[in-house]
Amino acid sequence: MGPMTDASRQAGDTGPSMTPRELRADVPALENAIYMNYGAHGPSPRYVVSAASEFLEHHEFDVPATGDPYHAAFSAFDETRETVAEFVHAEPDEIALTESTTAGINAVAGAIDWSPGDVVVRTDLEHPAGRLPWQRLEREGVTVRVVETTDGRIDQDEFAEAVAGADLVCFSAVTWTHGTVLPVADLVDVARDAGAFTLVDAVQVPGQLPMDVSAWGADAVAAAGHKWLLGLWGGGFLYVDSDAAVDLQPRTVGYRSVETPTADPFEFAPGARRFEVGSASPAPHVALGEAVEVVSEVGVDVIAERIDRLTDRLAEGVPGDRLLSPASPESGLVTVDVPDPERTEARLAEAGIVVRHLPFPDGVRASVHAVNTAEEVDRLVDALEAEW
């Protein structure tokens, strides 16, 4: 990999050495607004953008004349794969570098040999990333069962009934609608007992809550770094259990997908790397690696604890009957019932407060990160009072 910024770090070296306030000071976008939309997009610190831009300059200005651009790119991919694997408690061969969570879910959906009558189960809480691939398969005769939920919760008995006889189950680790934390390991156990492949949408986890894919036990987990990790768009990743990967046959194949690109017949690369394809830019994944290292330097536990304090403060300032999220929020995502969500979003934006409205449930969602302050939470509460 090319030269990195002075902020380049190794995840977990000596424990947290940066505070949330220090991280905030390096995010230019936070100078201009009270930003509470990390569940959609996390504005990047200079550390992350500099890592990507310095790699690009090195790769395009220096390497062509002094080295091998392919070797430099592949080395960058390898380094990020190792960084992400350590961060989520996986092995490097179990990590594929993708464009996004959506790309990861679609990659898995496309790697299974579906037949009419096969069954997919999802919940009614899924983001379009966890809905649209299965809607496409419905057109090919696959049956999609939808588990109905209440207030962002899954009834495990109803879940078990739905997954009986299913081929694949897809659900979110943290719901984008209510901010509830689902019991991933328990749901995986239920699905595994039913013989179903388990695919978890974890995009709302990395950067705000600890993430241990080995403890979850899922066959595959899709995520990205452009939300709570404060990385760049294009820096996604897909975990695939090494045993589960053996039976997956990706539809899209390139020289990064296989053991020997010139072999005929070819063999897929072992593990998750079979889901990587060709000459993608390493820059977003260099940024992803840097984002993981920066967040690790702050400490995920520190971040989660601070988010917990700030969201409790927010929930205490909202009338109980207006909270669509739990009264004691389980993540940084807090959804509030207002009469006209789109109008409220626009009104708050005019006041310099960035949140987003949701199509379901019908409300506005504040995504509170550790880089936010108590004063900003109070400003949001004051601004929402007009809605009551």
PDB file of all heavy atoms in Angstrom, residues 292-308:
ATOM      1  N   VAL A 292     -11.872   2.108  10.187  1.00  0.00           N
ATOM      2  CA  VAL A 292     -11.881   1.084  11.234  1.00  0.00           C
ATOM      3  C   VAL A 292     -10.800   1.384  12.270  1.00  0.00           C
ATOM      4  O   VAL A 292     -11.037   1.278  13.487  1.00  0.00           O
ATOM      5  CB  VAL A 292     -11.671  -0.315  10.617  1.00  0.00           C
ATOM      6  CG1 VAL A 292     -11.350  -1.335  11.701  1.00  0.00           C
ATOM      7  CG2 VAL A 292     -12.901  -0.739   9.839  1.00  0.00           C
ATOM      8  N   GLU A 293      -9.631   1.786  11.810  1.00  0.00           N
ATOM      9  CA  GLU A 293      -8.537   2.058  12.740  1.00  0.00           C
ATOM     10  C   GLU A 293      -8.823   3.282  13.597  1.00  0.00           C
ATOM     11  O   GLU A 293      -8.518   3.316  14.796  1.00  0.00           O
ATOM     12  CB  GLU A 293      -7.230   2.202  11.952  1.00  0.00           C
ATOM     13  CG  GLU A 293      -6.786   0.868  11.342  1.00  0.00           C
ATOM     14  CD  GLU A 293      -5.601   1.000  10.398  1.00  0.00           C
ATOM     15  OE1 GLU A 293      -5.242   2.138  10.047  1.00  0.00           O
ATOM     16  OE2 GLU A 293      -5.047  -0.039  10.020  1.00  0.00           O
ATOM     17  N   VAL A 294      -9.425   4.312  13.003  1.00  0.00           N
ATOM     18  CA  VAL A 294      -9.758   5.516  13.764  1.00  0.00           C
ATOM     19  C   VAL A 294     -10.815   5.204  14.817  1.00  0.00           C
ATOM     20  O   VAL A 294     -10.693   5.586  15.988  1.00  0.00           O
ATOM     21  CB  VAL A 294     -10.234   6.639  12.821  1.00  0.00           C
ATOM     22  CG1 VAL A 294     -10.801   7.808  13.618  1.00  0.00           C
ATOM     23  CG2 VAL A 294      -9.081   7.120  11.935  1.00  0.00           C
ATOM     24  N   VAL A 295     -11.869   4.504  14.407  1.00  0.00           N
ATOM     25  CA  VAL A 295     -12.922   4.138  15.356  1.00  0.00           C
ATOM     26  C   VAL A 295     -12.369   3.236  16.457  1.00  0.00           C
ATOM     27  O   VAL A 295     -12.736   3.373  17.639  1.00  0.00           O
ATOM     28  CB  VAL A 295     -14.087   3.456  14.614  1.00  0.00           C
ATOM     29  CG1 VAL A 295     -14.994   2.690  15.577  1.00  0.00           C
ATOM     30  CG2 VAL A 295     -14.904   4.498  13.860  1.00  0.00           C
ATOM     31  N   SER A 296     -11.467   2.342  16.102  1.00  0.00           N
ATOM     32  CA  SER A 296     -10.862   1.475  17.104  1.00  0.00           C
ATOM     33  C   SER A 296     -10.011   2.282  18.081  1.00  0.00           C
ATOM     34  O   SER A 296      -9.896   1.922  19.258  1.00  0.00           O
ATOM     35  CB  SER A 296     -10.001   0.403  16.427  1.00  0.00           C
ATOM     36  OG  SER A 296     -10.792  -0.445  15.627  1.00  0.00           O
ATOM     37  N   GLU A 297      -9.409   3.358  17.595  1.00  0.00           N
ATOM     38  CA  GLU A 297      -8.610   4.187  18.484  1.00  0.00           C
ATOM     39  C   GLU A 297      -9.485   4.931  19.487  1.00  0.00           C
ATOM     40  O   GLU A 297      -9.091   5.143  20.631  1.00  0.00           O
ATOM     41  CB  GLU A 297      -7.754   5.177  17.682  1.00  0.00           C
ATOM     42  CG  GLU A 297      -6.677   5.827  18.526  1.00  0.00           C
ATOM     43  CD  GLU A 297      -5.592   6.481  17.695  1.00  0.00           C
ATOM     44  OE1 GLU A 297      -5.184   5.899  16.676  1.00  0.00           O
ATOM     45  OE2 GLU A 297      -5.162   7.576  18.075  1.00  0.00           O
ATOM     46  N   VAL A 298     -10.673   5.305  19.078  1.00  0.00           N
ATOM     47  CA  VAL A 298     -11.627   5.879  20.033  1.00  0.00           C
ATOM     48  C   VAL A 298     -12.140   4.789  20.961  1.00  0.00           C
ATOM     49  O   VAL A 298     -12.285   4.998  22.176  1.00  0.00           O
ATOM     50  CB  VAL A 298     -12.811   6.541  19.298  1.00  0.00           C
ATOM     51  CG1 VAL A 298     -13.834   7.080  20.299  1.00  0.00           C
ATOM     52  CG2 VAL A 298     -12.311   7.672  18.395  1.00  0.00           C
ATOM     53  N   GLY A 299     -12.419   3.619  20.385  1.00  0.00           N
ATOM     54  CA  GLY A 299     -12.938   2.487  21.144  1.00  0.00           C
ATOM     55  C   GLY A 299     -14.420   2.309  20.918  1.00  0.00           C
ATOM     56  O   GLY A 299     -15.207   3.202  21.242  1.00  0.00           O
ATOM     57  N   VAL A 300     -14.815   1.160  20.352  1.00  0.00           N
ATOM     58  CA  VAL A 300     -16.231   0.928  20.073  1.00  0.00           C
ATOM     59  C   VAL A 300     -17.043   0.929  21.362  1.00  0.00           C
ATOM     60  O   VAL A 300     -18.169   1.438  21.408  1.00  0.00           O
ATOM     61  CB  VAL A 300     -16.431  -0.392  19.299  1.00  0.00           C
ATOM     62  CG1 VAL A 300     -17.912  -0.677  19.100  1.00  0.00           C
ATOM     63  CG2 VAL A 300     -15.733  -0.324  17.944  1.00  0.00           C
ATOM     64  N   ASP A 301     -16.481   0.397  22.438  1.00  0.00           N
ATOM     65  CA  ASP A 301     -17.205   0.406  23.713  1.00  0.00           C
ATOM     66  C   ASP A 301     -17.431   1.828  24.208  1.00  0.00           C
ATOM     67  O   ASP A 301     -18.498   2.152  24.742  1.00  0.00           O
ATOM     68  CB  ASP A 301     -16.442  -0.397  24.761  1.00  0.00           C
ATOM     69  CG  ASP A 301     -16.477  -1.895  24.492  1.00  0.00           C
ATOM     70  OD1 ASP A 301     -17.362  -2.331  23.734  1.00  0.00           O
ATOM     71  OD2 ASP A 301     -15.620  -2.619  25.028  1.00  0.00           O
ATOM     72  N   VAL A 302     -16.435   2.676  24.016  1.00  0.00           N
ATOM     73  CA  VAL A 302     -16.565   4.084  24.408  1.00  0.00           C
ATOM     74  C   VAL A 302     -17.657   4.750  23.583  1.00  0.00           C
ATOM     75  O   VAL A 302     -18.498   5.499  24.096  1.00  0.00           O
ATOM     76  CB  VAL A 302     -15.220   4.819  24.237  1.00  0.00           C
ATOM     77  CG1 VAL A 302     -15.385   6.326  24.432  1.00  0.00           C
ATOM     78  CG2 VAL A 302     -14.194   4.275  25.224  1.00  0.00           C
ATOM     79  N   ILE A 303     -17.646   4.474  22.291  1.00  0.00           N
ATOM     80  CA  ILE A 303     -18.652   5.046  21.398  1.00  0.00           C
ATOM     81  C   ILE A 303     -20.045   4.582  21.796  1.00  0.00           C
ATOM     82  O   ILE A 303     -20.982   5.379  21.908  1.00  0.00           O
ATOM     83  CB  ILE A 303     -18.339   4.669  19.939  1.00  0.00           C
ATOM     84  CG1 ILE A 303     -17.091   5.415  19.451  1.00  0.00           C
ATOM     85  CG2 ILE A 303     -19.538   4.969  19.025  1.00  0.00           C
ATOM     86  CD1 ILE A 303     -16.586   4.966  18.103  1.00  0.00           C
ATOM     87  N   ALA A 304     -20.214   3.269  22.016  1.00  0.00           N
ATOM     88  CA  ALA A 304     -21.531   2.727  22.365  1.00  0.00           C
ATOM     89  C   ALA A 304     -22.046   3.319  23.671  1.00  0.00           C
ATOM     90  O   ALA A 304     -23.237   3.651  23.793  1.00  0.00           O
ATOM     91  CB  ALA A 304     -21.450   1.204  22.469  1.00  0.00           C
ATOM     92  N   GLU A 305     -21.161   3.470  24.650  1.00  0.00           N
ATOM     93  CA  GLU A 305     -21.577   4.026  25.944  1.00  0.00           C
ATOM     94  C   GLU A 305     -22.014   5.477  25.804  1.00  0.00           C
ATOM     95  O   GLU A 305     -23.018   5.898  26.388  1.00  0.00           O
ATOM     96  CB  GLU A 305     -20.431   3.916  26.944  1.00  0.00           C
ATOM     97  CG  GLU A 305     -20.778   4.427  28.334  1.00  0.00           C
ATOM     98  CD  GLU A 305     -19.613   4.328  29.313  1.00  0.00           C
ATOM     99  OE1 GLU A 305     -18.542   3.822  28.918  1.00  0.00           O
ATOM    100  OE2 GLU A 305     -19.773   4.765  30.470  1.00  0.00           O
ATOM    101  N   ARG A 306     -21.274   6.246  25.013  1.00  0.00           N
ATOM    102  CA  ARG A 306     -21.636   7.652  24.845  1.00  0.00           C
ATOM    103  C   ARG A 306     -22.935   7.784  24.053  1.00  0.00           C
ATOM    104  O   ARG A 306     -23.793   8.618  24.385  1.00  0.00           O
ATOM    105  CB  ARG A 306     -20.508   8.417  24.156  1.00  0.00           C
ATOM    106  CG  ARG A 306     -20.822   9.896  23.946  1.00  0.00           C
ATOM    107  CD  ARG A 306     -19.608  10.703  23.559  1.00  0.00           C
ATOM    108  NE  ARG A 306     -19.982  12.070  23.214  1.00  0.00           N
ATOM    109  CZ  ARG A 306     -20.247  13.025  24.090  1.00  0.00           C
ATOM    110  NH1 ARG A 306     -20.196  12.763  25.390  1.00  0.00           N
ATOM    111  NH2 ARG A 306     -20.590  14.242  23.694  1.00  0.00           N
ATOM    112  N   ILE A 307     -23.107   6.979  23.010  1.00  0.00           N
ATOM    113  CA  ILE A 307     -24.364   6.998  22.264  1.00  0.00           C
ATOM    114  C   ILE A 307     -25.523   6.668  23.194  1.00  0.00           C
ATOM    115  O   ILE A 307     -26.592   7.298  23.131  1.00  0.00           O
ATOM    116  CB  ILE A 307     -24.303   6.007  21.087  1.00  0.00           C
ATOM    117  CG1 ILE A 307     -23.378   6.530  19.984  1.00  0.00           C
ATOM    118  CG2 ILE A 307     -25.699   5.753  20.516  1.00  0.00           C
ATOM    119  CD1 ILE A 307     -23.156   5.557  18.841  1.00  0.00           C
ATOM    120  N   ASP A 308     -25.332   5.709  24.066  1.00  0.00           N
ATOM    121  CA  ASP A 308     -26.384   5.318  25.006  1.00  0.00           C
ATOM    122  C   ASP A 308     -26.791   6.492  25.898  1.00  0.00           C
ATOM    123  O   ASP A 308     -27.990   6.743  26.105  1.00  0.00           O
ATOM    124  CB  ASP A 308     -25.899   4.144  25.850  1.00  0.00           C
ATOM    125  CG  ASP A 308     -26.986   3.561  26.727  1.00  0.00           C
ATOM    126  OD1 ASP A 308     -28.044   3.196  26.203  1.00  0.00           O
ATOM    127  OD2 ASP A 308     -26.787   3.483  27.957  1.00  0.00           O
TER     128      ASP A 308
END
